Amino acid sequence: MEEHYLYAKQILHHKYHDSPYYPMFVVSMFALLEKYPDYLNLITYLFLSTKIYIEDDSVGKILDRHRIDYVAFDEDNKNTYETLGISIPQDVVNIVNKKLVRETKSPVIVCSSYHVSPTVLLNTFIHEMNHLVKGSLHAFSMRHVDNTTICSSRIGINTRYYQHQQGEDDFLITNEFEILDEVINTLQTTELMHSVFQLDGMIPDYSIQNYLNRLNQWEGLKDQGYEDVIKLLKPLWDNSTFRSIIEDVLVEGNISSMIEEYNSIMGEGAFEQFAYSFDIIDCVGFFSKEHRQARKCIKTAINHFPKEKVKIIS
């Protein structure tokens, strides 16, 4: 524990020691190193190369202010304060001269500090940085089929597909496993917050301890967002077999092996149906037939993977 904390301080001091968010960055990097000790170089790269914007405004307005164009950002939320943060991986897709091209830039994290507590801001930042950790390795591919270009961009198990017809001015975007990935990331964020709170009272550094004193542990250990679907996934996440099937591939991105392993236990096509059930529950009314069928699918998995207590990696 102490080794990762001291490493985070050493790495971040030169770039961020004058930033008011320096303590937040240190404890965030510490938590991620505790969770992913085998990816020290990746985490170091992300903290030193990611452009971080934390401002007292909506995420959409911050993106506009800094001329950050991200086609995957929901335009409907652009001027609202419902979205607290967004992360943009280093590989993004754009159209240049009516061709779909890959653009590699510095990763970006945008967080709104508008009327949010230090605890919620920390939770948001860790949530977004955790996305980047799981969306940096083996995360981008491009292929051509006749007159169509198809790109895929992966973050965790969420894969976003961009499909472009030659000569067109726009492209089609589809997502796979988006809500399930967000729920998993939310549960992981709570575990990472748990690691941060373990530092409380153990740190001789006054500025870091003073920051920890401002955090609300009850608020920090509460899963933030996606409440309805989190309640359904939580029993499965507390099963070591189910958890290892998914969590073992999140950074490296071997999604096909994850699907094969799950389906070998639950039946052909079971994972796709399971993951799609979270999309349904997130967007369809509770009393609808689709909602009931989706809950039934998830409960089938819960019955197969009985709940057990998993030790939080910290």
Side-chain angles (χ1 to χ4, degrees):
M1 178 186 289
E2 183 181 0
E3 178 185 355
H4 287 152
Y5 168 72
L6 293 175
Y7 178 83
K9 277 193 65 178
Q10 174 192 349
I11 291 297
L12 298 177
H13 183 267
H14 177 71
K15 185 172 183 179
Y16 290 115
H17 72 278
D18 287 333
S19 167
Y21 300 111
Y22 171 67
M24 184 178 80
F25 296 156
V26 169
V27 300
S28 299
M29 186 175 186
F30 158 78
L32 287 161
L33 289 171
E34 288 285 290
K35 184 167 186 61
Y36 306 107
D38 295 336
Y39 295 98
L40 181 144
N41 290 338
L42 171 62
I43 292 169
T44 302
Y45 163 77
L46 288 172
F47 270 87
L48 294 182
S49 66
T50 299
K51 294 182 178 180
I52 302 170
Y53 303 92
I54 303 174
E55 298 178 14
D56 193 29
D57 212 333
S58 71
V59 168
K61 289 180 179 177
I62 299 170
L63 289 170
D64 285 344
R65 184 177 302 119
H66 296 281
R67 297 194 172 105
I68 303 169
D69 183 24
Y70 187 41
V71 295
F73 185 68
D74 186 355
E75 289 289 330
D76 293 338
N77 290 331
K78 201 155 194 180
N79 295 313
T80 73
Y81 292 87
E82 294 179 9
T83 301
L84 295 180
I86 190 172
S87 48
I88 304 173
Q90 64 180 6
D91 291 313
V92 295
V93 174
N94 212 335
I95 289 184
V96 178
N97 296 327
K98 295 191 176 183
K99 291 184 178 180
L100 204 61
V101 297
R102 171 185 187 175
E103 295 182 345
T104 300
K105 302 178 180 180
S106 297
V108 172
I109 288 179
V110 172
C111 294
S112 170
S113 60
Y114 182 76
H115 286 193
V116 300
S117 69
T119 310
V120 171
L121 182 59
L122 172 63
N123 186 290
T124 302
F125 178 76
I126 288 179
H127 182 96
E128 299 306 333
M129 188 60 83
N130 194 43
H131 272 314
L132 290 183
V133 171
K134 297 179 295 182
S136 297
L137 301 179
H138 320 301
F140 190 93
S141 69
M142 179 183 289
R143 58 192 173 95
H144 303 279
V145 181
D146 297 328
N147 293 324
T148 302
T149 302
I150 301 172
C151 296
S152 66
S153 176
R154 179 193 66 81
I155 297 179
I157 63 170
N158 175 22
T159 304
R160 182 170 285 128
Y161 295 95
Y162 302 83
Q163 184 171 318
H164 176 252
Q165 296 287 339
Q166 185 177 340
E168 295 292 327
D169 294 322
D170 208 348
F171 50 85
L172 176 68
I173 303 176
T174 56
N175 281 305
E176 195 171 54
F177 312 143
E178 180 180 17
I179 299 301
L180 178 57
D181 184 75
E182 281 292 347
V183 175
I184 290 169
N185 201 59
T186 299
L187 290 172
Q188 288 183 318
T189 300
T190 302
E191 294 167 359
L192 290 162
M193 292 290 290
H194 183 273
S195 293
V196 170
F197 287 117
Q198 285 192 318
L199 288 171
D200 193 14
M202 300 176 61
I203 303 303
D205 187 300
Y206 172 78
S207 65
I208 305 293
Q209 183 58 55
N210 187 50
Y211 171 73
L212 292 171
N213 290 341
R214 295 167 55 208
L215 300 179
N216 183 310
Q217 187 162 338
W218 179 87
E219 187 179 34
L221 296 179
K222 182 175 180 285
D223 299 320
Q224 303 284 340
Y226 300 97
E227 288 85 357
D228 291 340
V229 282
I230 278 181
K231 291 175 184 176
L232 290 170
L233 185 64
K234 195 73 161 60
L236 288 165
W237 201 240
D238 288 340
N239 177 279
S240 58
T241 302
F242 175 89
R243 185 182 179 120
S244 65
I245 290 173
I246 294 181
E247 196 164 45
D248 288 353
V249 307
L250 291 176
V251 178
E252 297 284 351
N254 194 350
I255 307 302
S256 60
S257 70
M258 174 200 70
I259 294 173
E260 288 174 11
E261 186 174 0
Y262 185 92
N263 288 350
S264 71
I265 298 171
M266 299 298 294
E268 185 177 352
F271 183 82
E272 293 86 342
Q273 185 179 4
F274 171 78
Y276 182 61
S277 296
F278 287 89
D279 295 334
I280 294 295
I281 290 172
D282 186 61
C283 66
V284 175
F286 182 84
F287 295 103
S288 68
K289 179 181 178 181
E290 293 89 346
H291 196 286
R292 290 195 301 272
Q293 290 175 335
R295 292 175 69 90
K296 183 179 179 180
C297 175
I298 295 170
K299 287 181 179 178
T300 299
I302 292 173
N303 291 335
H304 194 92
F305 297 98
K307 184 177 180 180
E308 58 186 43
K309 195 62 180 176
V310 174
K311 181 180 178 182
I312 294 175
I313 300 172
S314 58

